Amino acid sequence: MAATTDLTKLVQPDRVHRSAYTDPAIFELEMERIFHKVWTYVGHESQVKNTGDYWTVLIGRQPMIMVRHGDGSVRVLHNRCPHRGAMLCGNRLGSAPDGFTCSYHSWQFHTDGSLKAIPLERGYKGTRFETGAADAAMRNMKPAARVANYRGFVFASLAADGPSLEEWLGPAKIAFDDICDRAPKGEVEVVPNCFRVVQQSNWKIFLENQLDALHPAVTHESTGKAAYEVELEFEERHEKAPLSYHFLSAFSTTPIPKWDDFQTLNYSNGHSILTGYMGLRPSDPDTLAYEETLRQAYGEKRMEEILAVNIHHVLCYPGLSVQPPLQQLRAVRPLTVDKTLTEIWHFRLKGAPEAIYRRALGYYNLVNSPSTLVNADDLWNFWKCHQGLASDGGDWVSFHRNAGQDHVQGNLTTSVIGTSEAPMRNQFSAWGAYMGGT
Ligand code: FES
Ligand SMILES: [Fe+2]
């Protein structure tokens, strides 16, 4: 980025300069000003059930460890040995009930990051280290500045100051309420495995696609049509196709004008909600059995309230895309200006029948998995977008669709139609505020 580049000129209310996606210097600024400041989803508390259980995760540029400490709390630590800087955990997950031991010179740490032991400590005799002049950072693993847990979903922020997690999420916290409320026991458990997909594009292209209600009928048309044809075959035999076909056929049987009937609700900090479009309350025996468990747990009235929540997608900008009715989420971890890792997780509703879990698993495999055509269709677009933006064929990205027509009421912008590009404009409004440029 040229030293003179003025970020205010890159982001305008209805268009964005391509360098916001392709300039490595802007990417570095994003890490510093956005990802090292906001609340980042690190994982679900059920990933670390026992003392010493840990998972490693990236927050912006920082390799971190989420670990269960002996007092039951979940800690988030920098994955760095204070001796010579080696990462403490080179693997993705593991268990260290007695604390961490560095594989380089065997310094040992408790699961809250404090120093436990240094072998052959006599070597430090008379040095700055022994006399106490060494600061805590030379003895202990550094923790994240703040850690917060909302209904089992653990977030961390590297910034000491800023809004609390709940303030920052605002109305987007409905993502986690909707997931958990659908469980008869009011909480979920992670399925301890995730798909990890590296897409060849800037991270923002992924987020813009999440609430892009115009693209499914185009990009996923062939996938949806194939599933629809199978549904028709079932119908001809007077049978009902399994719901999993509906997950795919909805892409093509929902024509563009129908997408316009839905709404996006766009809030502060770039968060957005897409209202629901798929009928997920059929009257098959599995669904009825599930409803009975909810009725037993909450009573009829509350059950109806829970099942009436009509959200398809919640985007917690800049790092999370949640699909609450199907208990799944995708966490966005930017790697470089043109490479982005997404981690795709799903959850079990505690107390719900196994068949309801199988349904979520079906959606996970059929729509969000890297092996499905749906994901492949999107990945192909993401790569093509990035290639086009990196070219000299034009300078601007257009977000003009329904610009100036959406309904603004305080911190909420409601899209005038479902395919308005309001969510993308909302994301860039937050981007500008974080980057200090607009
Ligand atoms: S780098 Fe960890 S003990 Fe030396
Ligand atoms: Fe898509």
Side-chain angles (χ1 to χ4, degrees):
M1 183 176 67
T4 53
T5 300
D6 181 352
L7 293 174
T8 57
K9 298 217 167 73
L10 300 183
V11 176
Q12 298 171 9
D14 55 357
R15 65 177 192 171
V16 174
H17 194 271
R18 70 186 178 98
S19 59
Y21 298 82
T22 58
D23 185 332
I26 291 179
F27 178 82
E28 293 304 328
L29 269 186
E30 289 176 332
M31 293 300 102
E32 184 188 314
R33 296 184 183 175
I34 304 179
F35 286 88
H36 291 175
K37 295 267 162 61
V38 297
W39 287 99
T40 294
Y41 175 66
V42 289
H44 192 267
E45 63 179 5
S46 59
Q47 284 170 247
V48 289
K49 278 191 183 142
N50 305 308
T51 300
D53 288 355
Y54 69 85
W55 279 76
T56 57
V57 66
L58 264 184
I59 297 183
R61 281 283 194 223
Q62 309 299 317
M64 309 291 291
I65 307 171
M66 173 177 75
V67 58
R68 179 77 68 172
H69 184 47
D71 65 1
S73 61
V74 176
R75 305 297 177 100
V76 179
L77 306 169
H78 281 265
N79 189 358
R80 178 194 188 278
C81 176
H83 177 217
R84 296 254 288 276
M87 286 204 306
L88 256 298
C89 304
N91 38 354
R92 197 159 288 150
L93 74 158
S95 179
D98 299 322
F100 300 107
T101 300
C102 183
S103 60
Y104 201 0
H105 312 97
S106 209
W107 284 29
Q108 292 164 38
F109 305 89
H110 297 289
T111 45
D112 62 355
S114 59
L115 182 66
K116 185 175 176 188
I118 296 177
L120 305 173
E121 211 171 346
R122 62 184 178 277
Y124 291 95
K125 205 168 170 30
T127 70
R128 181 212 298 259
F129 194 91
E130 190 209 45
T131 57
D135 62 19
M138 286 183 75
R139 293 173 175 273
N140 302 320
M141 292 167 69
K142 187 179 172 190
R146 292 180 296 159
V147 179
N149 176 332
Y150 187 73
R151 298 196 72 165
F153 296 83
V154 180
F155 289 74
S157 168
L158 301 180
D161 304 314
S164 69
L165 174 62
E166 287 196 42
E167 285 165 354
W168 179 78
L169 283 171
K173 68 178 190 288
I174 198 171
F176 310 105
D177 289 329
D178 192 19
I179 288 185
C180 296
D181 288 348
R182 285 171 187 271
K185 292 191 174 167
E187 54 185 35
V188 293
E189 183 167 28
V190 75
V191 179
N193 196 9
C194 76
F195 292 129
R196 296 163 67 86
V197 179
V198 175
Q199 67 185 60
Q200 307 299 320
S201 84
N202 186 263
W203 61 276
K204 295 187 287 297
I205 293 173
F206 176 86
L207 291 172
E208 286 156 18
N209 184 64
Q210 293 311 292
L211 267 64
D212 184 319
L214 191 55
H215 90 282
V218 181
T219 301
H220 306 304
E221 194 258 349
S222 56
T223 303
K225 204 159 157 248
Y228 182 57
E229 281 166 9
V230 178
E231 281 185 319
L232 288 181
E233 286 172 20
F234 271 92
E235 249 175 56
E236 279 164 21
R237 298 199 300 268
H238 305 289
E239 292 172 27
K240 190 136 184 58
L243 187 66
S244 50
Y245 285 96
H246 179 60
F247 293 153
L248 295 175
S249 67
F251 288 116
S252 66
T253 56
T254 310
I256 289 171
K258 192 140 186 277
W259 288 99
D260 278 338
D261 293 341
F262 309 127
Q263 270 184 327
T264 59
L265 308 172
N266 303 286
Y267 299 99
S268 308
N269 298 330
H271 309 321
S272 295
I273 290 172
L274 172 66
T275 57
Y277 73 95
M278 281 198 296
L280 284 178
R281 200 176 166 187
S283 52
D284 59 280
D286 291 339
T287 307
L288 296 179
Y290 163 57
E291 290 186 5
E292 188 50 36
T293 63
L294 284 180
R295 192 176 286 110
Q296 297 288 330
Y298 298 112
E300 184 77 23
K301 184 166 171 281
R302 179 70 186 127
M303 176 195 78
E304 286 300 334
E305 280 169 12
I306 290 168
L307 294 177
V309 174
N310 187 25
I311 287 175
H312 179 57
H313 225 119
V314 183
L315 190 114
C316 304
Y317 186 80
L320 203 54
S321 166
V322 189
Q323 290 176 286
L326 291 152
Q327 300 91 50
Q328 26 220 296
L329 63 78
R330 282 170 281 183
V332 182
R333 320 277 187 206
L335 301 177
T336 60
V337 72
D338 59 357
K339 239 184 243 312
T340 305
L341 167 69
T342 51
E343 291 176 2
I344 310 159
W345 293 93
H346 74 299
F347 302 85
R348 276 178 187 270
L349 298 173
K350 279 193 181 173
E354 178 70 11
I356 298 304
Y357 166 66
R358 308 300 303 181
R359 183 178 294 176
L361 177 64
Y363 191 87
Y364 182 69
N365 283 329
L366 283 170
V367 178
N368 285 333
S369 137
S371 62
T372 169
L373 290 175
V374 178
N375 194 261
D377 289 337
D378 285 325
L379 291 170
W380 178 235
N381 273 351
F382 299 160
W383 174 72
K384 290 200 294 179
C385 280
H386 196 97
Q387 293 302 304
L389 294 180
S391 79
D392 294 330
D395 278 339
W396 295 95
V397 180
S398 159
F399 295 116
H400 294 90
R401 189 169 174 79
N402 302 101
Q405 298 166 23
D406 297 308
H407 305 301
V408 184
Q409 219 181 3
N411 284 338
L412 167 65
T413 299
T414 307
S415 66
V416 65
I417 54 173
T419 62
S420 162
E421 284 168 336
M424 300 78 174
R425 291 189 288 271
N426 193 48
Q427 287 165 35
F428 270 105
S429 160
W431 189 92
Y434 283 128
M435 296 290 277
T438 53

